[in-house]
Amino acid sequence: MLEVECYCTLVRRSARALTEFYDIALAPSGLRVTQYSLLRAIERLEKPSLTLLAESTGLDRSTLGRNLRVLEKAGFVVIRPGIDERTRIVELKPQARHALKVARPLWTKAQTKVAAAVPAQARQYLRTLTKAVEN
């Protein structure tokens, strides 16, 4: 029987390698790539609700909550009540804005290196794979 490489294992290995690459690149900012990504999403959405933030990042509410608690404890975000008792709003604190300012050029440099090494066709395959398994 022909042994076929597991797609899941391959993608997870690639994700770990990319995460490590970006984490090393962002180290001078004090942020990990997961934190950078979440802070950028909050910045783009301008005081999003937890629901909107979860939808836009593709994170479930419990994972988002754990990640936000880490950012809150680090002094990067504040979570405030929203328009009703069920809603919570996430806001960036000045420390987060400073960290993003430091991290942005580091991320851009890392992104440029990855883009140069990964053909556009491979990125499209990743998008196609993601869409196929999400449906």
Side-chain angles (χ1 to χ4, degrees), residues 44-108:
R44 275 191 307 276
L45 296 169
E46 300 178 4
K47 301 180 184 177
S49 69
L50 293 181
T51 300
L52 177 60
L53 187 56
E55 289 170 1
S56 71
T57 60
L59 296 172
D60 62 75
R61 291 278 302 250
S62 61
T63 301
L64 178 62
R66 284 191 301 276
N67 292 342
L68 287 173
R69 279 191 290 283
V70 170
L71 292 175
E72 191 174 35
K73 190 177 281 189
F76 289 126
V77 300
V78 62
I79 302 170
R80 301 188 191 283
I83 55 174
D84 61 45
E85 290 188 25
R86 297 172 298 165
T87 308
R88 298 285 177 263
I89 302 297
V90 185
E91 294 181 40
L92 293 181
K93 293 177 81 173
Q95 182 178 339
R97 294 188 188 284
H98 175 74
L100 285 170
K101 185 177 180 181
V102 172
R104 192 168 283 114
L106 300 171
W107 180 88
T108 299

Side-chain angles (χ1 to χ4, degrees), residues 18 23 38 50 55-56 89 98-99 109 114 120 127-128:
L18 273 171
D23 283 348
L38 189 50
L50 293 181
E55 289 170 1
S56 71
I89 302 297
H98 175 74
K109 185 176 178 182
V114 172
R127 285 187 206 97
T128 301

